[in-house]
């Protein structure tokens, strides 16, 4: 709720939250315990697993600031960057496209 207010200026409707939700899958084997830790500037999810030992995940998520009410977007000639212009902020946001893999090793595309 606080994030919605900060980013959008209002709280998202319940049906929007349900529409955009998904189950998170983490490859942790036979996990027995989970802990969330903050060490200096790092936020970590630490998993104790019977089959994989101790597994740590960097627990940061990319957020894009200034991309509200997009009115135009275009890719560069190499198709690895997307430039977007929003109505609410007087700025151009540059998103980089690259192939990455998720925690299960499947290829996914993200915009960091």
């Amino acid at each position: 709720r606080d994030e919605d207010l900060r980013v959008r200026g209002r709280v998202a409707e319940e049906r929007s939250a349900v529409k955009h939700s998904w189950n998170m899958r983490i490859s942790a084997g036979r996990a027995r315990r989970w802990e969330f830790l903050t060490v200096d500037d790092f936020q970590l999810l630490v998993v104790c697993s019977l089959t994989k030992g101790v597994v740590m995940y960097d627990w940061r998520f990319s957020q894009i600031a200034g991309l509200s009410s997009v009115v135009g977007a275009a890719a560069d000639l190499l198709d690895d960057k997307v430039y977007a212009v929003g109505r609410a902020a007087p700025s151009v946001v540059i998103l980089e496209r690259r192939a990455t893999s998720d925690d299960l090793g499947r290829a996914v595309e993200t915009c960091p």
Side-chain angles (χ1 to χ4, degrees):
R1 300 182 140 261
D2 293 337
E3 187 72 11
D4 285 339
L5 288 172
R6 186 178 65 76
V7 174
R8 295 179 188 85
R10 61 183 168 75
V11 175
E13 297 177 19
E14 180 64 29
R15 67 176 184 220
S16 175
V18 170
K19 177 181 176 184
H20 297 288
S21 67
W22 65 90
N23 294 328
M24 180 172 30
R25 297 180 64 192
I26 294 177
S27 178
R30 293 181 59 197
R32 299 287 293 173
R33 186 166 180 198
W34 306 76
E35 287 291 329
F36 179 76
L37 301 174
T38 301
V39 179
D40 294 329
D41 292 334
F42 296 99
Q43 295 178 346
L44 304 169
L45 177 65
V46 181
V47 182
C48 294
S49 169
L50 293 175
T51 54
K52 295 193 175 203
V54 176
V55 182
M56 289 193 302
Y57 292 95
D58 185 1
W59 203 248
R60 287 179 294 172
F61 299 93
S62 298
Q63 295 183 353
I64 300 169
L67 189 61
S68 180
S69 304
V70 174
V71 294
D76 65 2
L77 295 175
L78 300 174
D79 199 34
D80 63 351
K81 289 191 174 59
V82 176
Y83 302 90
V85 178
R87 183 180 322 251
S91 62
V92 175
V93 176
I94 302 170
L95 305 170
E96 181 180 83
R97 293 172 29 130
R98 66 174 183 237
T100 59
S101 58
D102 64 12
D103 292 328
L104 298 176
R106 295 179 301 192
V108 295
E109 292 217 8
T110 61
C111 294

